[in-house]
């Protein structure tokens, strides 16, 4: 029964999170692992976010300008639409969908490989809480680093949108900034950070769960990575709607 399977997996996920969020047995080891994960997840994702954000901001400006051809409309509205769309949706949600593919598959593959090669079993035999040692640093690192990456990505999207608008003679930098400032709502920044933090937790915890309980061989590791990306993307879209309904 699909319904029973869902509740079984959800209960197993909750138990894994409960087992992971405990006081570290040896703080120095956990701290080194946390720093390693922050570099791998945070610094390792900056490159793809820069490329993605620059082109997304440029496309957003060109397409917005294409829809506003009436001379009766002020061109500054293009800056307003690009800025607000970037802060509310493009930077936190669309960028996290991209990160779900990179970070989610990496976490699920790493833990899945450790599971089928019995490295996780070896940790348990040595008396180490494998869930806390392997899962907790990944979840904390992703929850902390992804909002920082999203802030960088959002800034680059707006900057590239402004530069492309100016170079294409679609909207001057002054008009773009006027529109961005005139209709700027400060709460949207808080809203974007809340979304990025939530999505960071979803990507890391769901991917860790699917990788941690991988069974079989190398083929199943690939399946776990694929399921981690799909599940993370679906949950991001669901919580995107839920957070919008609650906070806006």
């Amino acid at each position: 029964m699909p319904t029973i399977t869902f509740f079984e997996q959800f209960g197993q996920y909750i138990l894994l999170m409960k087992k992971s969020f405990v006081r570290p047995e040896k703080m120095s080891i956990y701290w080194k692992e946390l720093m390693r994960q922050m570099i791998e997840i945070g610094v390792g994702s900056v490159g793809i976010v820069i490329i993605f954000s620059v082109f997304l901001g440029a496309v957003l400006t060109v397409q917005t300008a294409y829809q506003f051809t009436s001379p009766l409309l002020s061109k500054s509205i293009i800056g307003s639409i690009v800025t607000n769309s970037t802060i509310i949706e493009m930077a936190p949600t669309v960028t996290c969908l991209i990160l779900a593919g990179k970070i989610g598959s990496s976490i699920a593959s790493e833990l899945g490989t450790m599971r089928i090669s019995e490295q996780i079993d070896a940790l348990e035999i040595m008396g180490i809480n494998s869930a806390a040692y392997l899962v907790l640093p990944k979840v904390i690192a992703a929850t902390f680093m992804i909002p920082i990456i999203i802030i960088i990505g959002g800034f680059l999207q707006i900057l590239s949108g402004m530069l492309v608008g100016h170079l294409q003679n679609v909207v001057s930098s002054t008009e773009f900034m006027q529109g961005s400032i005139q209709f700027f709502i400060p709460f949207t920044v808080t809203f974007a950070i809340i979304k990025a933090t939530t999505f960071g937790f979803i990507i890391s915890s769901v991917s860790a769960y699917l990788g941690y309980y991988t069974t079989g061989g190398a083929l199943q590791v690939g399946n776990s990575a694929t399921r981690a990306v799909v599940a993370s993307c679906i949950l991001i879209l669901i919580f995107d709607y839920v957070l919008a309904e609650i906070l806006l």
Side-chain angles (χ1 to χ4, degrees):
M1 293 289 287
T3 305
I4 295 176
T5 302
F6 168 77
F7 284 111
E8 285 180 348
Q9 292 190 344
F10 182 69
Q12 199 174 31
Y13 167 80
I14 296 296
L15 291 175
L16 178 64
M17 291 299 105
K18 182 181 178 182
K19 187 179 177 183
S20 302
F21 283 84
V22 296
R23 183 180 177 82
E25 296 150 347
K26 195 171 182 179
M27 188 63 76
S28 59
I29 296 176
Y30 282 75
W31 179 254
K32 288 181 182 177
E33 179 64 14
L34 177 62
M35 292 297 105
R36 190 181 74 83
Q37 292 297 332
M38 281 188 169
I39 293 172
E40 188 171 325
I41 292 173
V43 180
S45 303
V46 169
I48 189 173
V49 169
I50 289 175
I51 296 171
F52 173 76
S53 299
V54 168
F55 282 98
L56 183 61
V59 170
L60 195 58
T61 295
V62 172
Q63 291 188 352
T64 304
Y66 174 76
Q67 298 177 63
F68 290 92
T69 56
S70 173
L72 299 177
L73 294 173
S74 171
K75 289 186 176 180
S76 63
I77 197 171
I78 297 173
S80 170
I81 292 174
V82 171
T83 300
N84 286 315
S85 299
T86 295
I87 296 174
I88 293 176
E89 190 66 17
M90 293 299 174
T93 305
V94 180
T95 305
C96 279
L97 290 174
I98 300 297
L99 292 177
K102 180 185 181 301
I103 298 174
S105 61
S106 174
I107 292 175
S109 299
E110 179 184 337
L111 293 181
T113 302
M114 292 185 71
R115 170 63 73 184
I116 65 169
S117 61
E118 300 181 349
Q119 295 180 56
I120 294 178
D121 297 329
L123 289 173
E124 294 287 346
I125 291 172
M126 289 188 291
I128 298 173
N129 183 344
S130 62
Y133 178 66
L134 297 174
V135 176
L136 184 61
K138 291 178 172 56
V139 174
I140 293 176
T143 306
F144 181 76
M145 294 302 293
I146 285 182
I148 296 175
I149 298 172
I150 296 303
I151 292 172
I152 296 172
F155 175 77
L156 289 175
Q157 284 183 35
I158 295 172
L159 182 63
S160 67
M162 184 178 68
L163 290 177
V164 167
H166 180 74
L167 294 174
Q168 295 288 326
N169 201 24
V170 172
V171 53
S172 68
S173 300
T174 304
E175 289 174 319
F176 189 97
M177 289 304 299
Q178 284 177 345
S180 299
I181 296 171
Q182 185 177 1
F183 298 100
F184 175 69
I185 303 173
F187 178 72
T188 55
V189 176
T190 304
F191 179 60
I193 293 174
I194 292 173
K195 287 173 68 173
T197 305
T198 305
F199 298 158
F201 179 81
I202 289 172
I203 292 170
S204 55
S205 63
V206 171
S207 302
Y209 161 72
L210 291 172
Y212 189 84
Y213 287 109
T214 298
T215 56
L219 181 62
Q220 282 67 37
V221 173
N223 290 337
S224 294
T226 303
R227 289 174 61 202
V229 175
V230 173
S232 297
C233 289
I234 292 173
L235 287 172
I236 285 173
L237 294 175
I238 292 173
F239 276 86
D240 186 32
Y241 171 73
V242 171
L243 290 173
E245 283 285 349
I246 294 174
L247 300 176
L248 295 182

